[in-house]
């Protein structure tokens, strides 16, 4: 008999396949999030997932629990309202880098000051995927996108510094480092107060291809070669992944 | 490890033919042929494809029924 | 029931608690801030001062979905910032109360002066089609009553209901009786009890349906029908008939208080539920040769009344935040002389 993927109980399986592109990393993050929920035995009743707008923003809709798909950039204030109205709920935000750090950046700044007890999983693909590949607040310097054809000249946002400045939880991983990424999510979910897990995730269609990657696999290998796990630091360097708590 | 054997279940309804499994499999067990993912019966149950599949389309059953990933 | 001296804004705060509000999020702005101040430290309510009005309205959307009655209060600039999320709340059918204590705009305008420039923004401020219920009381007593009414209408319609006020009524002090008005209870199950998906995308049965025109038409029809049905319960208006007058003055909010000075010469109609427009105007208007809207803008409600009545409606606009009876009288005289 075929083994059952028990973590899939957290998803509305009739909605699969997702509408994400072949090779898109969002599915990996979705899966890891479910595995993390399973690991922690989070009850489906009593847990709420909130997303904003974007490819990543479609995540919430797949969960087999009450979920909210907010306006662009507004996942965090909606999540805060939910949590503060009913402190018993586990409130998880899963959304994109543009959504959480661009249009919704001010909310993150202030939610972290308030240290509201919500867990944020950021699908950081360094691009505005849904709208065709414009540069985002996490696009690397020099990176070519639809709106930075000669390479990005704006400094990417230092989320780690922002989150740490307010003594909240920060972790970073990639969709290549599955076990590590899951650990980051589990710790973020366990953390009391605001936690932010930034998962570098490949967008092959509107980012990777433009930068010369042929497929999702090549982007995963790029993460493998470029990010090193650092378990012993309270400040991650640019190319490091880890949990800084 | 090389002796271990896995049975591959492909959910063709979920598979989008992204090819991650094709590239990641250490024994080249997958092929995309005529717009369909085929497996060639060489699986050594390393679990990499199941773990990386973004669409939850692959399940590997190991011979001894255990799903603990090796490697 | 008790007699107390209250400021208009204070009355809104106290009535909201009476209506069962448990969550308030807001951002300071003149002339609405007293609502935030009054609620701070009230043990019945969780009060959040947010980073802006977008955060405020979204926080109350979250709180309401989580199961508690929620409200925010602002003035024009903040109301403009909230517009996207107001449409969102209509689409997701979230009960909310949004208070807008109007001041002179556009932009920062005249912060401490009252105006009525946000009438059309209430109805058309967000993109897409939606059918808001809007109340506009004109006294402290009514602000108390209609805050509770707004909460009830919000629960019954599962929609964000707008309570309009202005810097004049909001800052007015009057002695009122705090009547125990009936309160509608929450019908919708709170978040965390099921597997629903709330989305601003066009949807059917919790599922997005972004490329099916039929689903969209059905959804919009549903929103429209629902709002019409609930608003029928609240056909609230005031009509002061003057049998010797062939002219009907229409005024609301601060301006309606000024209009009472002209009741010896005119009949007066004051809509309280300003949207959807009280249909009764149609019947009453038939009796009059002339209809004049007096309002603190350049004709926003006038255009809506004209659209409803299919006839010409005249206007006395009062701009700049100062309500001067001489000005109004002058305006009425000019209309009489046909200028
Ligand atoms: C107010 C508003 N502005 C713009 C848009 C268009 N828009 C939709 S998704 C998106 C970018 C999303 O980027 P990100 O959060 O990084 O998600 P991704 O698609 O990359 O997963 C934009 C700009 C919108 N929906 N709403
Ligand atoms: S555009 Fe990019 S982020 Fe969006 S689904 Fe496709 S690969 Fe994923
Ligand atoms: S489990 Fe490993 S060996 Fe088996 S098909 Fe998948 S990647 Fe190849
Ligand atoms: Mg992105």
């Amino acid at each position: 008999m075929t083994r059952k993927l028990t973590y899939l109980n957290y998803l509305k399986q009739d909605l699969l396949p997702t509408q994400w592109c072949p090779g898109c990393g969002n599915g990996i993050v979705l899966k890891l999030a479910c595995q993390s929920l399973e690991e922690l035995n989070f009850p489906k009743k009593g847990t709420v997932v909130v997303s904003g707008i974007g490819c990543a923003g479609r995540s919430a809709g797949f969960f087999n629990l009450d979920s909210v798909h907010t306006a662009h950039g507004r996942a965090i204030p909606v999540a805060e309202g939910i949590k503060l109205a009913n402190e018993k709920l586990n409130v998880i935000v899963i959304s994109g880098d543009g959504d959480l750090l661009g249009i919704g950046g001010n909310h993150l700044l202030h939610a972290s000051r308030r240290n509201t007890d919500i867990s944020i999983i950021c699908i950081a693909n360094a691009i505005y995927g849904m709208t065709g590949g414009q540069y985002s607040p996490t696009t690397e310097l020099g990176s070519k996108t639809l709106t930075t054809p000669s390479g990005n000249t704006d400094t990417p946002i230092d989320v780690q510094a922002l989150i740490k400045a307010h003594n909240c939880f920060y972790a970073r991983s990639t969709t290549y480092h599955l076990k590590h990424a899951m650990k980051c999510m589990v710790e973020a979910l366990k953390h009391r107060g605001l936690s932010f897990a930034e998962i570098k995730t490949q967008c092959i269609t509107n980012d990777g291809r433009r930068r010369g990657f042929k497929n999702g696999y090549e982007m995963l290998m790029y993460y493998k070669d470029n990010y090193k796990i650092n378990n012993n630091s309270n400040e991650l360097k640019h190319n490091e992944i880890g949990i800084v708590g | 490890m090389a002796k271990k054997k896995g049975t591959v279940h492909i959910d063709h309804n979920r598979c989008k033919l992204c090819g991650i499994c094709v590239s990641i499999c250490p024994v080249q067990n997958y092929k995309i042929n005529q717009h369909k993912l085929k497996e060639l019966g060489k699986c050594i149950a390393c679990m990499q494809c199941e773990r990386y599949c973004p669409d939850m389309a692959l399940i590997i059953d190991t011979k001894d029924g255990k799903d603990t990933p090796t490697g | 029931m008790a007699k107390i001296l209250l400021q208009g804004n204070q009355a809104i705060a106290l009535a909201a608690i009476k209506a069962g509000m448990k969550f308030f999020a807001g951002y300071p702005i003149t002339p609405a801030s007293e609502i935030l101040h009054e609620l701070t430290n009230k043990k019945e309510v969780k009060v959040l001062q947010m980073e802006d009005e977008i955060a405020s309205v979204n926080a109350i959307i979250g709180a309401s979905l989580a199961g508690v009655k929620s409200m925010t209060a602002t003035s024009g600039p903040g109301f403009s910032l909230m517009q996207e999320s107001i449409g969102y709340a209509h689409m997701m059918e979230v009960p909310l109360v949004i208070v807008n204590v109007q001041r002179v705009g556009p932009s920062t305008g005249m912060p401490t002066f009252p105006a009525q420039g946000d009438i059309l923004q209430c109805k058309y401020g967000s993109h897409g089609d939606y059918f808001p219920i809007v109340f506009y009381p004109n006294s402290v007593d009514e602000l108390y009553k209609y805050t509770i009414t707004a909460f009830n209408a919000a629960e019954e319609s599962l929609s964000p209901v707008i309570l309009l006020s202005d810097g004049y009524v909001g800052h007015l002090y009057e002695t009122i009786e705090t009547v125990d008005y009936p309160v509608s209870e929450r019908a919708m199950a709170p978040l965390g009890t099921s597997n629903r998906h709330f989305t601003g995308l066009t949807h059917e049965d919790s599922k997005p349906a972004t490329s099916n025109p039929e689903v969209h038409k059905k959804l919009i029809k549903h929103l429209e029908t629902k709002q019409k049905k609930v608003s029928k319960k609240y056909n609230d208006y005031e009509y002061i008939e003057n049998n010797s007058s062939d002219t009907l003055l229409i005024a609301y909010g601060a301006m309606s208080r000024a209009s009472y000075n002209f009741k010896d010469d005119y009949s007066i109609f004051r809509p309280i539920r300003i949207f959807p427009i009280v249909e009764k105007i149609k019947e009453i208007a038939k009796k009059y040769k002339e209809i004049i809207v007096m309002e603190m803008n350049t004709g926003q409600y006038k255009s809506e009344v004209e659209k409803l009545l299919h006839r010409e409606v005249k206007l006395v606009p009062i701009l700049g935040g100062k309500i001067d009876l001489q000005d109004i009288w002058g305006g009425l005289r000019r209309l009489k002389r046909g200028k």
Side-chain angles (χ1 to χ4, degrees), chain A residues 20 24 26 52-58 71-74 95-103 123-132 134 136-138 203, chain C residues 84 127:
Chain A
W20 292 319
C24 173
N26 291 4
I53 297 293
C55 295
R58 286 304 189 96
H72 191 21
R74 315 306 165 200
S95 209
D97 53 335
D99 188 78
L100 293 168
L101 304 169
I103 189 167
I123 298 185
N125 55 11
I127 202 81
Y128 281 34
M130 178 163 269
T131 43
Q134 300 85 355
S136 88
T138 63
C203 163
Chain C
E84 184 195 14
H127 55 285

Side-chain angles (χ1 to χ4, degrees), chain C residues 12 15 18 23 70 72-73 82 119 127 130 150 175 185 200 229 239 250 254 258 260 268 270 278 287 291 335 339:
Chain C
I12 293 177
K18 218 31 186 180
F23 190 91
S70 308
T72 185
M82 290 180 188
I119 303 301
H127 55 285
Y130 62 108
T175 302
E185 291 311 320
K229 191 173 147 216
Y239 177 39
I250 296 177
Y260 297 147
I268 292 162
R270 173 172 76 96
V278 180
K287 293 197 215 158
I291 295 169
L335 288 179
K339 286 195 189 157

Side-chain angles (χ1 to χ4, degrees), chain C residues 108-313:
Chain C
T108 314
M110 303 166 83
T112 58
F113 279 46
Q116 303 182 313
D118 307 351
I119 303 301
L120 291 185
Q121 194 180 196
C122 284
K123 191 162 177 218
Y124 302 111
S126 200
H127 55 285
D129 295 301
Y130 62 108
F131 313 90
I133 298 175
V134 185
F135 296 102
Y136 196 165
N138 82 345
S139 67
V140 179
D141 193 50
E142 274 194 4
L143 281 171
Y144 189 91
K145 174 178 173 190
Y146 284 99
T147 298
I148 295 173
T149 309
F151 271 101
N152 290 348
E155 292 302 326
E156 291 154 17
S157 65
L158 299 178
S159 78
V161 170
I162 311 283
L163 182 72
L164 267 187
S165 173
D166 51 60
Y168 181 82
V169 186
H171 283 166
L172 204 65
Y173 277 88
E174 287 178 332
T175 302
I176 72 159
E177 271 190 28
T178 55
V179 180
D180 288 320
Y181 295 106
V183 164
S184 297
E185 291 311 320
R186 173 59 58 96
M188 191 170 74
L191 285 179
T193 56
S194 179
N195 62 352
R196 296 157 297 176
H197 181 53
F198 292 89
T199 177
L201 291 169
T202 292
H203 54 271
E204 188 174 36
D205 307 327
S206 255
K207 285 191 190 118
T210 52
S211 46
N212 185 339
E214 293 315 311
V215 171
H216 187 76
K217 285 183 218 167
K218 214 171 106 187
L219 177 60
I220 297 301
K221 189 81 215 154
H222 158 69
L223 296 180
E224 185 175 14
T225 315
K226 175 186 77 167
Q227 299 299 90
K228 271 197 185 138
K229 191 173 147 216
V230 174
S231 60
K232 277 210 177 80
K233 271 187 76 178
Y234 305 102
N235 285 316
D236 296 17
Y237 61 89
E238 180 185 6
Y239 177 39
I240 305 173
E241 196 169 359
N242 178 337
N243 286 323
S244 61
S245 173
D246 62 0
T247 305
L248 180 68
L249 281 187
I250 296 177
Y252 49 82
M255 276 299 280
S256 64
R257 294 179 71 104
S259 77
Y260 297 147
N261 290 287
F262 305 98
K263 60 176 188 273
D264 293 342
D265 300 291
Y266 298 93
S267 286
I268 292 162
F269 184 84
R270 173 172 76 96
I272 299 174
R273 191 198 75 210
I274 67 162
F275 290 122
I277 298 192
V278 180
E279 294 271 326
K280 191 79 183 174
I281 296 188
K282 278 196 199 163
E283 192 187 313
I284 293 172
K286 283 192 190 122
K287 293 197 215 158
Y288 297 93
K289 234 175 74 195
E290 235 176 0
I291 295 169
I292 300 172
V293 174
M294 314 187 342
E295 54 188 335
M296 301 174 78
N297 60 54
T298 56
Q300 299 192 14
Y301 206 59
K302 169 191 127 67
S303 67
E304 291 294 300
V305 175
E306 258 174 353
K307 223 160 62 184
L308 183 78
L309 301 182
H310 300 293
R311 58 182 273 199
E312 193 198 357
V313 173

Side-chain angles (χ1 to χ4, degrees), chain C residues 36-53:
Chain C
L36 168 66
H37 304 165
E38 184 68 27
L39 290 168
T40 304
N41 285 328
K42 287 275 185 300
K43 60 180 186 321
E44 300 91 335
V45 195
K46 181 124 212 157
V47 178
L48 274 190
Q49 181 180 320
M50 301 300 284
E51 55 274 22
D52 59 32
E53 289 84 351

Side-chain angles (χ1 to χ4, degrees), chain B:
Chain B
M1 188 166 104
K3 285 209 183 97
K4 214 162 186 186
K5 194 139 168 45
T7 314
V8 178
H9 303 275
I10 305 171
D11 185 335
H12 291 287
N13 182 39
R14 286 184 191 166
C15 174
K16 295 172 185 163
L17 306 177
C18 72
I20 288 178
C21 54
V22 178
S23 306
I24 219 160
C25 177
V27 296
Q28 286 82 42
N29 187 39
Y30 290 106
K31 221 166 66 180
I32 293 173
N33 219 337
Q34 288 165 334
H35 291 284
K36 198 162 179 183
L37 182 67
K38 301 249 159 67
E39 70 100 9
L40 309 171
K42 302 192 279 190
C43 174
I44 55 165
C46 74
M47 310 306 285
Q48 290 291 79
C49 57
E50 180 182 312
R51 294 170 68 218
Y52 278 97
C53 176
D55 289 288
M56 296 156 259
L58 297 172
I59 298 178
I60 308 301
D61 276 332
T62 53
K63 208 177 172 188
D64 56 4
K66 288 212 188 92
D67 60 348
T68 3
T70 57

Side-chain angles (χ1 to χ4, degrees), chain C residues 83-105:
Chain C
Q83 290 305 320
E84 184 195 14
S85 299
I86 290 176
Y88 170 62
H90 275 279
M91 196 67 156
M92 296 210 308
E93 305 191 49
V94 188
L96 305 173
V97 173
I98 297 169
V99 181
N100 177 0
V101 188
Q102 296 166 98
R103 66 189 219 186
V104 177

